[in-house]
Every structure is written in C-alpha cells, then in structure tokens.
Amino acid sequence: MSERAHTHRRRRGKRRMAAALTAALGFTGAALATNIVLQPAGAATADGTTAAAAEWPDPSGSQAVPETIEVSGTYDGDLKEFYGEGDLGGDGQEEGQDALFELADGATLKNVVLGSPAADGVHCSGSCTLENVWWTDVGEDAASFKGRSTGSVYTVSGGGAKGADDKVFQFNGAGKLTVSGFQVEDFGKLVRSCGNCSTMYKRDIVVKDVDVTAPGTSLVGINSNYGDTATLSSIRIHGDSDRKIEPCVRYEGNDNGDEPEEVGSGPDGEYCLYSESDISYD
C-alpha cells in the first residue's frame, strides 16, 4: 500500500509524446552533425563550469508489454523503449497498478526507456539496481522500492524521468535508497518515503549529483517520527528562480492510512542533512 496520490492527472497523448521524441531526435542529430559532445548530467566542462543536463536517449526500438516482465539477475534493454498495453495500458494515478518490470531481490535493470503508458513503472521486491533507466512520461510512479529487510539497498544510477504528476520514486520498504547522476523535470516529488503504509520503517535516502528542472514540488519527503534521513549533495536546480521546489520536507507518518501531516522543511542537522551550498540554482 502506497501513500495516497493526488487524484488529478494531466493526460498526455501519444501525439504529444511523438512530437517530444521528434524534437529530441532533431537536437541529437544536429549535435552530432556539428561535433557537439553531449555531456552527462552535471559533468564538468574543460573550463571547470558545470554542463547542462544530458540529452535524453534515442530509443533503439520499441516493445509493447502486455504482462509484467519479471527480472532476476541482470536485464539489459539495449535502450529499447517499453510501453504498456492491455492491462498495463494505464497512465493515470490509480493506486494498485501493476509494473512493467518486477525485479527480484538483487536484480539489475539497465539501459531501458519506459515510454507511455508506463503503468506503475518498476517494482523492486528487495535490493535492486536501476542503471541508465529513463521514464519519458511517468505513470502512477516511476519505481517503487519494497524490500522488507533493513539491510536492503536500492541504487538508481544515471537515467532520468519527466511528467510525474505526483511521485517519481516511491519508497515503501525498508533500507537505503541512493539516487545519483539522475535528471528529473516536470514532477511532483522526486523521492517520497511512504507516509501511511500499513507497515512503516526507518528509511535512509541519499540524493546526489542530480539535475532538477522546474516545475516541481519537492526533492525528498521523509517521516521524521520514524527516524528517516535524507542526505543531499551536488543538486542543480534549473528554472526555479523563485525557489519553489523544496529540497527536503519532513512529515509525521502513520500506519493507519491517514494523510501524513507536514511538520517542517529545510536542513535541520538530524533528518534533512544538507547545507545551502549543496544546492545551486540557475
């Protein structure tokens, strides 16, 4: 059971997605033609400045997913785009949707583009690694982490997500989640520690070397009454001159399904662990 999501959903048609991909392809082609080297997210340039976020990948092909793909070991998608159809054809915020990919404990999913519709994205039943995974239009959530062991480790390395009306990463289980080298744009929350799951845990979240493009609501939401921590570093926020995106928000979580209450935000040295210098704006 995950935290209740907002009921509204901006519907995005395939026509809009096709236009976005066409634009991305056009820019990529132009960059190659002029010998422009596309930097990874936040990469340092020769003069020591920080480059803008990397371009999104050009999918190598596409594949419909009518039933959840179960992964144990390593699944390399070769940057193919996967999208749901049939029972996985939803792109709304309805709770309880199935995932396109279900990862067993210790599994790795790499070089995958999740297109639209994406249903509930990726589920990790235990420790997992998501490497260079991209979501072009997030459905219910991009990925949910559900391991029950306090030793569970979830790693998101590289990749990016956009178009998340609510959460990008839903942290329902126990353990530690690290998100690095990632980029996110047009989103609600980047990471949310479940605020009202029937079983609650202490959760630790690390977000580092991430490019964030407005609009967005918050980077991390944690439950201070359960001892959650969020450690932020090398965060680059673009297009948010009014600084509306909250880096870290603290809630009082519960296990009875009630909407959690916000109790504070900003660095506090105990739960939200970062300083002003860890976040830059342009």
Side-chain angles (χ1 to χ4, degrees):
M1 176 179 178
S2 61
E3 181 182 0
R4 296 172 186 171
H6 298 306
T7 56
H8 71 281
R9 171 74 182 172
R10 297 189 300 273
R11 309 298 281 183
R12 300 173 175 84
K14 290 187 177 180
R15 186 172 300 175
R16 175 179 170 182
M17 184 56 58
L21 288 173
T22 299
L25 287 170
F27 184 90
T28 303
L32 293 174
T34 55
N35 295 319
I36 295 175
V37 177
L38 296 176
Q39 300 279 353
T45 59
D47 62 3
T49 60
T50 301
E55 282 301 298
W56 283 58
D58 175 12
S60 61
S62 63
Q63 177 178 328
V65 182
E67 296 182 355
T68 300
I69 298 172
E70 297 184 359
V71 178
S72 58
T74 297
Y75 186 103
D76 190 334
D78 295 322
L79 277 181
K80 185 184 295 184
E81 180 185 59
F82 296 82
Y83 61 92
E85 71 172 12
D87 290 342
L88 295 178
D91 65 352
Q93 288 291 300
E94 297 82 6
E95 292 288 344
Q97 296 183 54
D98 290 331
L100 296 189
F101 291 91
E102 180 84 35
L103 275 59
D105 187 21
T108 295
L109 180 68
K110 61 191 297 185
N111 301 324
V112 164
V113 178
L114 278 76
S116 178
D120 200 27
V122 178
H123 288 177
C124 288
S125 59
S127 296
C128 69
T129 298
L130 306 182
E131 180 182 333
N132 197 35
V133 177
W134 304 80
W135 291 262
T136 61
D137 188 2
V138 174
E140 182 184 350
D141 300 313
S144 299
F145 306 99
K146 302 182 175 186
R148 295 179 179 274
S149 169
T150 56
S152 294
V153 176
Y154 319 92
T155 301
V156 178
S157 177
K162 54 187 173 182
D165 281 359
D166 193 16
K167 302 173 292 292
V168 176
F169 298 125
Q170 175 72 38
F171 195 174
N172 290 348
K176 180 179 181 179
L177 167 63
T178 299
V179 179
S180 65
F182 196 76
Q183 53 186 301
V184 61
E185 57 185 271
D186 186 15
F187 66 103
K189 308 173 185 72
L190 175 58
V191 182
R192 178 64 171 106
S193 173
C194 182
N196 55 10
C197 285
S198 57
T199 302
M200 295 292 283
Y201 306 94
K202 176 186 183 299
R203 306 176 180 111
D204 296 306
I205 299 168
V206 175
V207 178
K208 60 183 179 181
D209 187 25
V210 169
D211 280 279
V212 179
T213 301
T217 302
S218 62
L219 297 185
V220 181
I222 57 175
N223 308 304
S224 54
N225 60 315
Y226 285 98
D228 292 356
T229 64
T231 303
L232 310 181
S233 63
S234 298
I235 307 297
R236 297 169 292 275
I237 299 181
H238 312 286
D240 186 27
S241 58
D242 293 333
R243 303 195 178 189
K244 293 182 178 180
I245 298 174
E246 291 278 7
C248 184
V249 181
R250 297 182 296 280
Y251 295 87
E252 183 172 345
N254 62 77
D255 59 5
N256 57 20
D258 290 344
E259 194 66 22
E261 179 183 355
E262 182 177 332
V263 295
S265 62
D268 63 355
E270 185 174 4
Y271 306 109
C272 292
L273 305 175
Y274 66 98
S275 63
E276 290 185 2
S277 62
D278 289 311
I279 299 175
S280 63
Y281 293 83
D282 62 28

Short mmCIF file of all heavy atoms in Angstrom, two decimals, residues 5 22-23 69 93 107 110 127 137 152 158 164-165 180 201 232 251 273:
data_model
loop_
_atom_site.label_atom_id
_atom_site.label_comp_id
_atom_site.label_asym_id
_atom_site.label_seq_id
_atom_site.Cartn_x
_atom_site.Cartn_y
_atom_site.Cartn_z
N ALA A 5 -2.18 9.12 -3.61
CA ALA A 5 -1.69 10.06 -4.61
C ALA A 5 -2.74 11.12 -4.87
O ALA A 5 -3.92 10.96 -4.56
CB ALA A 5 -1.37 9.32 -5.91
N THR A 22 10.43 13.47 -31.48
CA THR A 22 10.93 14.04 -32.73
C THR A 22 11.86 15.21 -32.45
O THR A 22 12.92 15.35 -33.05
CB THR A 22 9.75 14.50 -33.61
OG1 THR A 22 8.94 13.36 -33.90
CG2 THR A 22 10.25 15.11 -34.92
N ALA A 23 11.45 16.06 -31.50
CA ALA A 23 12.29 17.20 -31.16
C ALA A 23 13.62 16.75 -30.60
O ALA A 23 14.68 17.29 -30.91
CB ALA A 23 11.57 18.11 -30.15
N ILE A 69 7.11 -7.93 -16.90
CA ILE A 69 8.35 -8.65 -17.16
C ILE A 69 9.06 -8.88 -15.83
O ILE A 69 9.41 -7.93 -15.14
CB ILE A 69 9.27 -7.85 -18.11
CG1 ILE A 69 8.57 -7.65 -19.47
CG2 ILE A 69 10.61 -8.56 -18.31
CD1 ILE A 69 9.32 -6.71 -20.41
N GLN A 93 -3.17 7.91 -12.14
CA GLN A 93 -2.67 7.86 -10.77
C GLN A 93 -3.42 6.83 -9.91
O GLN A 93 -3.30 6.84 -8.69
CB GLN A 93 -2.79 9.24 -10.14
CG GLN A 93 -1.81 10.25 -10.69
CD GLN A 93 -0.39 9.93 -10.29
OE1 GLN A 93 -0.06 9.88 -9.12
NE2 GLN A 93 0.46 9.70 -11.27
N ALA A 107 18.29 -7.94 -8.20
CA ALA A 107 18.26 -7.81 -9.66
C ALA A 107 18.73 -6.44 -10.12
O ALA A 107 18.69 -5.46 -9.37
CB ALA A 107 16.86 -8.09 -10.19
N LYS A 110 18.89 -2.33 -16.61
CA LYS A 110 19.77 -1.31 -17.18
C LYS A 110 19.41 -1.02 -18.63
O LYS A 110 18.85 -1.86 -19.34
CB LYS A 110 21.23 -1.77 -17.08
CG LYS A 110 21.56 -3.04 -17.82
CD LYS A 110 22.93 -3.60 -17.50
CE LYS A 110 24.05 -2.68 -17.91
NZ LYS A 110 25.39 -3.29 -17.69
N SER A 127 16.55 -5.60 -2.57
CA SER A 127 17.64 -4.77 -3.09
C SER A 127 17.63 -4.82 -4.62
O SER A 127 17.35 -5.87 -5.22
CB SER A 127 18.98 -5.28 -2.57
OG SER A 127 19.07 -5.15 -1.16
N ASP A 137 7.40 9.57 -19.57
CA ASP A 137 6.13 10.10 -19.06
C ASP A 137 5.68 9.18 -17.93
O ASP A 137 5.05 8.15 -18.17
CB ASP A 137 5.10 10.14 -20.18
CG ASP A 137 3.82 10.87 -19.78
OD1 ASP A 137 3.76 11.36 -18.64
OD2 ASP A 137 2.89 10.94 -20.60
N SER A 152 18.28 -3.83 3.05
CA SER A 152 18.02 -3.66 1.61
C SER A 152 18.69 -2.39 1.10
O SER A 152 18.67 -1.34 1.75
CB SER A 152 16.52 -3.59 1.35
OG SER A 152 15.89 -4.81 1.64
N GLY A 158 22.27 7.16 -12.88
CA GLY A 158 22.03 7.69 -14.21
C GLY A 158 20.55 7.64 -14.55
O GLY A 158 19.70 7.32 -13.74
N ALA A 164 5.89 13.51 -14.08
CA ALA A 164 5.33 12.80 -12.91
C ALA A 164 4.41 13.76 -12.16
O ALA A 164 4.89 14.68 -11.50
CB ALA A 164 6.45 12.30 -12.00
N ASP A 165 3.11 13.54 -12.25
CA ASP A 165 2.18 14.43 -11.54
C ASP A 165 2.35 14.35 -10.04
O ASP A 165 2.10 15.31 -9.32
CB ASP A 165 0.75 14.06 -11.91
CG ASP A 165 0.34 14.62 -13.27
OD1 ASP A 165 1.18 15.30 -13.89
OD2 ASP A 165 -0.79 14.37 -13.71
N SER A 180 21.68 8.87 -7.91
CA SER A 180 22.83 9.68 -8.32
C SER A 180 22.90 9.77 -9.85
O SER A 180 22.45 8.86 -10.56
CB SER A 180 24.13 9.09 -7.77
OG SER A 180 24.38 7.81 -8.34
N TYR A 201 8.73 1.82 8.27
CA TYR A 201 10.13 1.55 8.59
C TYR A 201 10.89 2.87 8.70
O TYR A 201 10.44 3.91 8.22
CB TYR A 201 10.79 0.74 7.48
CG TYR A 201 10.10 -0.54 7.09
CD1 TYR A 201 9.20 -0.55 6.03
CD2 TYR A 201 10.37 -1.74 7.74
CE1 TYR A 201 8.58 -1.74 5.64
CE2 TYR A 201 9.76 -2.93 7.36
CZ TYR A 201 8.86 -2.91 6.31
OH TYR A 201 8.25 -4.08 5.92
N LEU A 232 21.49 15.23 0.97
CA LEU A 232 21.51 15.82 -0.36
C LEU A 232 22.87 16.47 -0.63
O LEU A 232 23.43 17.11 0.25
CB LEU A 232 20.42 16.89 -0.49
CG LEU A 232 18.99 16.53 -0.05
CD1 LEU A 232 18.06 17.71 -0.27
CD2 LEU A 232 18.49 15.30 -0.80
N TYR A 251 7.61 14.98 7.39
CA TYR A 251 6.22 14.66 7.70
C TYR A 251 6.15 13.84 8.98
O TYR A 251 7.14 13.22 9.41
CB TYR A 251 5.58 13.83 6.57
CG TYR A 251 5.45 14.56 5.26
CD1 TYR A 251 6.50 14.56 4.33
CD2 TYR A 251 4.27 15.22 4.91
CE1 TYR A 251 6.38 15.21 3.11
CE2 TYR A 251 4.14 15.87 3.70
CZ TYR A 251 5.20 15.87 2.80
OH TYR A 251 5.07 16.51 1.59
N LEU A 273 19.61 16.35 5.86
CA LEU A 273 21.06 16.55 6.04
C LEU A 273 21.69 17.15 4.78
O LEU A 273 22.04 16.44 3.84
CB LEU A 273 21.71 15.20 6.38
CG LEU A 273 21.12 14.47 7.59
CD1 LEU A 273 21.75 13.10 7.77
CD2 LEU A 273 21.30 15.32 8.86
#
